[in-house]
């Protein structure tokens, strides 16, 4: 296998920043007409009410590399992926991607509930830039992967949410992308299908597809990534080996505000086992983590409780 | 300037197929489960034509005929349906615009195309009325594609404009509704342009729809093309509508996903 570090750069972000206005005051005609003074004042203030969701992010991903982005909720990682996907333009900086890009942002978006799965697959393909003929050729494999053979001609409003997710992933996965952008989509769906998705992603990775993934599933990040990056308040604060970055992320999580911590705890609960395994296997990391936790007794307590529960479950299984 | 356009651009074929597929889906969904299907698109012009022929022709005694009204009402409902439909075409597809990257112009354009197909399907009925009322086809009918093209261009330009601006200024969808009602009475549809008093005649010159409506009627009922000067003015205004609609769309489209 060629080492990705020597490949050509296919995803590049240079000094990317994205600003969002926090609110758009005075937008309604009614307000403008009835309260002109207020509207004018809001218009004068407009520049100050803003949020830099992504700040000065620079990184490169080489062909065949699996690059993960982790970070707390609201750290800007999903915005960054939207910028890479071209769904939003950077306020400053440039984004460049080479080759055929397939994006998986929120599975099942763009499906119309009133028409059949088959028509939705074709329409999705057309939206992604494929021709009808290409999509008709890909259809059997997509349907097969999603396991929806007997349902494909039913209107999608009759599908379960799991079926939506499966069809959405199957479409993106079989688009033969050269660059695949994945945003936190595999958290949904049953464990068996999730496993199938990860298997497929691993296969794409072996075939040399470049993957950029945003995820809270730290176990998957460590398992698949060649490199990972940590986002914090819009900045990319660390890039490096997934294990190191995930460790740093957990450490920072424990240190940050209660709100963010809460959000992270939820993310961690999903990968509780991974955290516990890390604690057992990597003494250095465990020491760092413990030091971070020491400063937050409440968080520590919760984790210990969960670990205790896990051990009890293990004991029962034995 | 920041660029985020994935390499390996799209084929024209893809854009055309996308517009056609969206149009087909819209039409299919609109009449899904309805017994009369597309025949409903005839209901509005026919019903309004019948009422107006009675109210204006018989009650007020203006001598206006049903075929005169229908020759204006059919194209009008095409225009109105397309522009009104287009105004909500971006905000109604917010989920798609936020999650998938595709040529966004296909949304309003497919709405316009859908209304156009409905009009074309209803055209035989209109022509049936015209012929039944004793106005047989003549050489002037060769001018129909010209009037059709003018109206299509005008509709597409306005549709792109209102669809794009409505994303940022939601009130426009309602303003459009009001303006379309005003335009209906301000355009020679239920009256002939010659009847407009001299002092107000200029209104029909600045209204790009006026020569088009006169064109449909002149060709179908009088067997003559409208004066070249009127058609020329309409062509200029249509080209302007297309250019402005496209320019505004291009200027605003990058912000759609964030503004919706």
């Amino acid at each position: 296998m060629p080492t990705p570090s020597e490949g050509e750069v296919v995803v590049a972000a240079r000094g990317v920043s994205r600003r969002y206005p926090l609110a758009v005051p005075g937008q309604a005609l009614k307000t403008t007409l009835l309260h002109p003074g207020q509207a004018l004042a809001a218009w004068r203030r407009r520049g100050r009410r803003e949020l830099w969701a992504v700040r000065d992010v620079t990184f490169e991903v080489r062909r065949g590399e699996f690059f993960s982005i982790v970070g707390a909720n609201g750290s800007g990682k999903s915005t960054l992926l939207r910028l890479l996907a071209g769904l939003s333009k950077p306020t400053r900086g440039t984004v460049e991607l080479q080759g055929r890009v397939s994006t998986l942002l929120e599975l099942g978006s763009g499906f119309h509930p009133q028409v059949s799965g088959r028509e939705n697959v074709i329409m999705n393909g057309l939206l992604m830039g494929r021709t009808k003929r290409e999509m008709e050729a890909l259809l059997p494999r997509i349907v097969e992967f999603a396991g929806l053979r007997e349902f494909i001609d039913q209107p999608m409003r009759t599908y379960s949410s799991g079926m939506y997710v499966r069809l959405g992933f199957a479409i993106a996965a079989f688009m033969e992308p050269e660059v695949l952008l994945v945003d936190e989509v595999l958290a949904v769906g049953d464990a068996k299908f999730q496993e199938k998705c990860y298997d497929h992603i691993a296969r794409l990775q072996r075939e040399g597809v470049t993957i950029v993934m945003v995820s809270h599933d730290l176990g998957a990040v460590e398992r698949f990534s060649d490199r990972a990056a940590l986002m914090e308040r819009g900045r990319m604060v660390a890039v490096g080996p997934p294990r190191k970055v995930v460790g740093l992320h957990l450490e920072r999580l424990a240190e940050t505000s209660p709100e963010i911590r809460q959000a992270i705890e939820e993310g961690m609960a999903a990968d509780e086992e991974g955290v516990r395994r890390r604690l057992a296997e990597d003494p250095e990391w465990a020491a760092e983590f413990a030091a971070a936790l020491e400063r937050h007794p409440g968080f520590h307590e919760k984790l210990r409780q969960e670990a205790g529960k896990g051990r009890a479950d293990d004991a029962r299984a034995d | 300037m920041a660029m985020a356009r994935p390499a390996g651009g799209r084929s024209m074929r893809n854009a055309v197929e996308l517009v056609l597929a969206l149009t087909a889906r819209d039409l299919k969904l609109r009449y899904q489960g309805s017994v009369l299907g597309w025949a409903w698109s005839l209901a509005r012009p026919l019903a309004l034509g019948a009422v107006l022929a009675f109210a204006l022709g018989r009650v007020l005694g203006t001598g206006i005929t049903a075929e005169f009204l229908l020759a204006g009402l059919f194209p009008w409902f095409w225009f109105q349906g397309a522009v009104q439909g287009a105004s909500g075409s971006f905000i109604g597809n917010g989920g798609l615009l936020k999650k998938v990257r595709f040529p966004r112009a296909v949304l309003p354009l497919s709405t316009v195309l859908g209304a156009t197909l409905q009009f074309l399907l209803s055209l035989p009925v209109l022509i049936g009325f015209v012929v039944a009322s004793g106005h047989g086809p003549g050489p002037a009918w060769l001018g129909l594609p010209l009037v059709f093209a003018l109206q299509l261009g005008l509709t597409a330009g306005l549709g792109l404009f209102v669809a794009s601006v409505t994303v940022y200024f939601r009130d426009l969808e309602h303003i459009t509704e009001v303006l379309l009602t005003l335009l209906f009475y301000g355009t020679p549809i239920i009256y002939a342009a010659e009847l407009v008093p001299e002092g107000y005649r200029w209104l029909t010159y600045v209204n790009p729809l006026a020569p088009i409506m006169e064109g449909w009627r002149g060709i179908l009922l009088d067997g003559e093309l409208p004066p070249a000067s009127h058609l020329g003015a309409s062509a200029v205004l249509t080209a302007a509508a297309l250019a402005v609609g496209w320019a505004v769309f291009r200027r605003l489209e990058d912000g759609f996903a964030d503004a919706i």
Side-chain angles (χ1 to χ4, degrees):
Chain A
M1 206 172 104
T3 43
S5 58
E6 286 159 9
E8 141 204 25
V9 173
V10 286
V11 178
R14 295 195 182 88
V16 171
S17 298
R18 173 68 212 203
R19 179 185 58 204
Y20 285 104
L22 273 182
V24 190
Q27 201 181 27
L29 183 66
K30 198 178 99 186
T31 320
T32 315
L33 291 180
L34 294 181
H35 312 285
Q38 220 179 336
L40 186 67
W43 186 75
R44 284 202 179 126
R45 267 201 319 271
R46 74 199 186 286
R48 269 172 273 160
R49 299 175 60 85
E50 60 183 34
L51 167 80
W52 285 92
V54 172
R55 302 170 206 235
D56 196 21
V57 167
T58 299
F59 71 97
E60 286 180 346
V61 181
R62 289 171 190 278
R63 185 176 299 288
E65 201 176 7
F66 194 124
F67 188 83
S68 290
I69 303 170
V70 297
N73 291 340
S75 60
K77 55 192 191 308
S78 292
T79 306
L80 182 58
L81 205 71
R82 293 175 54 77
L83 292 169
L84 293 180
L87 289 164
S88 176
K89 296 243 159 172
T91 312
R92 285 185 206 142
T94 59
V95 168
E96 270 172 51
L97 281 92
Q98 312 285 330
R100 188 151 59 205
V101 181
S102 180
T103 56
L104 253 156
L105 312 171
E106 228 169 278
L107 291 178
S109 56
F111 285 150
H112 197 297
Q114 300 295 336
V115 302
S116 69
R118 180 187 303 273
E119 282 172 76
N120 269 306
V121 171
I122 306 275
M123 180 63 80
N124 242 272
L126 290 174
L127 285 168
M128 293 181 193
R130 298 317 189 75
T131 64
K132 205 164 177 171
R133 194 183 304 164
E134 284 176 306
M135 286 316 293
E136 271 156 7
L138 286 171
L139 191 77
R141 286 160 67 200
I142 291 172
V143 175
E144 182 62 38
F145 187 86
L148 289 171
R149 205 179 316 163
E150 56 272 48
F151 304 105
I152 198 65
D153 288 310
Q154 301 298 315
M156 285 198 63
R157 68 187 143 81
T158 63
Y159 285 24
S160 70
S161 54
M163 289 156 85
Y164 251 76
V165 168
R166 270 145 55 192
L167 193 57
F169 181 84
I171 293 172
F174 285 94
M175 284 295 180
E176 292 155 0
E178 291 166 87
V179 177
L180 181 64
L181 306 174
V182 193
D183 185 9
E184 201 63 76
V185 284
L186 301 176
V188 277
D190 56 291
K192 203 173 134 219
F193 186 73
Q194 242 179 62
E195 202 48 44
K196 204 168 157 186
C197 292
Y198 277 129
D199 282 349
H200 190 79
I201 287 185
R203 193 177 322 140
L204 291 176
Q205 192 183 3
R206 282 195 300 276
E207 285 165 8
V209 175
T210 310
I211 299 164
V212 179
M213 178 173 87
V214 162
S215 185
H216 281 299
D217 185 348
L218 302 180
V221 169
E222 284 195 36
R223 192 170 132 207
F224 292 110
S225 312
D226 298 307
R227 274 191 312 150
L230 173 61
M231 292 286 290
E232 214 173 72
R233 271 177 259 148
R235 292 186 193 282
M236 194 169 268
V237 293
V239 185
R243 201 178 173 79
K244 284 258 162 64
V245 171
V246 168
L248 182 65
H249 175 43
L250 289 171
E251 193 184 320
R252 295 284 187 102
L253 279 177
E255 285 176 38
T256 46
S257 72
E259 297 83 30
I260 296 182
R261 205 161 68 215
Q262 166 100 34
I264 302 321
E265 278 172 49
E266 281 160 22
M268 276 180 58
D271 188 46
E272 194 195 326
E273 204 189 280
V275 175
R276 260 187 283 122
R277 202 185 50 234
R278 287 293 299 281
L279 288 171
E281 285 172 7
D282 189 346
E284 198 184 274
W285 183 82
E288 275 172 13
F289 192 53
L293 292 182
E294 216 57 66
R295 295 190 282 274
H296 295 274
F299 187 44
H300 195 188
E301 194 53 41
K302 184 178 187 286
L303 202 77
R304 202 158 49 194
Q305 270 171 14
E306 278 182 3
K309 208 167 59 207
R311 263 195 296 279
D313 290 342
D314 289 347
R316 261 199 305 282
D318 292 338
Chain B
M1 188 53 215
M3 285 295 294
R5 198 170 295 275
R10 287 163 182 268
S11 59
M12 192 62 204
R13 182 198 171 108
N14 167 253
V16 170
E17 282 186 345
L18 187 52
V19 171
L20 292 179
L22 282 168
T23 307
R25 190 178 77 181
D26 283 354
L27 288 181
K28 192 176 144 188
L29 287 173
R30 186 170 310 173
Y31 298 119
Q32 201 174 48
S34 99
V35 180
L36 291 180
W38 73 271
W40 280 115
S41 60
L42 300 172
R44 287 211 295 173
L46 287 181
L48 192 60
V51 168
L52 288 175
F54 177 73
L56 301 177
R58 304 279 167 194
V59 178
L60 295 178
T62 57
I64 200 166
T65 59
E67 63 270 20
F68 179 92
L69 288 164
L70 292 178
L73 288 172
F74 272 80
W76 165 259
F77 277 110
W78 165 28
F79 176 80
Q80 190 213 33
V83 174
Q84 190 70 63
S87 71
S89 62
F90 285 135
I91 52 177
N93 284 293
L96 212 52
L97 291 170
K98 275 182 183 304
K99 302 292 191 286
V100 191
R101 198 180 154 75
F102 63 99
R104 285 132 174 158
V106 299
L107 290 174
L109 292 182
S110 71
T111 309
V112 169
L113 184 62
T116 307
L117 287 180
Q118 277 185 301
F119 170 72
L120 287 175
L121 286 172
S122 68
L123 203 53
V125 177
L126 172 61
I127 290 184
F129 269 100
V130 167
V131 172
S133 65
H135 306 276
W141 286 38
L142 294 172
L144 284 176
L146 176 65
V147 180
F148 173 82
L150 284 175
Q151 184 168 343
L152 181 60
L154 181 67
T155 309
L158 280 176
L160 269 172
F161 176 83
V162 290
S164 307
V165 177
T166 302
V167 173
Y168 298 91
F169 182 58
R170 298 291 171 104
D171 301 63
L172 188 64
E173 201 178 356
H174 307 288
I175 293 173
T176 302
E177 213 176 320
V178 176
L179 287 181
L180 280 170
T181 307
L182 296 183
L183 190 63
F184 175 71
Y185 292 104
T187 304
I189 295 168
I190 57 170
Y191 52 84
E194 307 92 81
L195 296 179
V196 179
E198 218 34 82
Y200 299 100
R201 195 64 65 80
W202 61 272
L203 276 172
T204 62
Y205 296 133
V206 295
N207 176 355
L209 203 55
I212 294 174
M213 289 298 160
E214 286 286 286
W216 287 109
R217 263 203 309 258
I219 292 172
L220 288 173
L221 302 178
D222 306 329
E224 59 190 37
L225 284 168
S229 63
H230 290 196
L231 283 178
S234 178
V236 170
L237 289 170
T238 294
L242 269 176
V244 170
W246 182 253
V248 167
F249 162 74
R250 287 305 302 239
R251 175 86 179 73
L252 297 178
E253 70 161 331
D254 285 340
F256 284 172
D258 297 319
I260 282 175

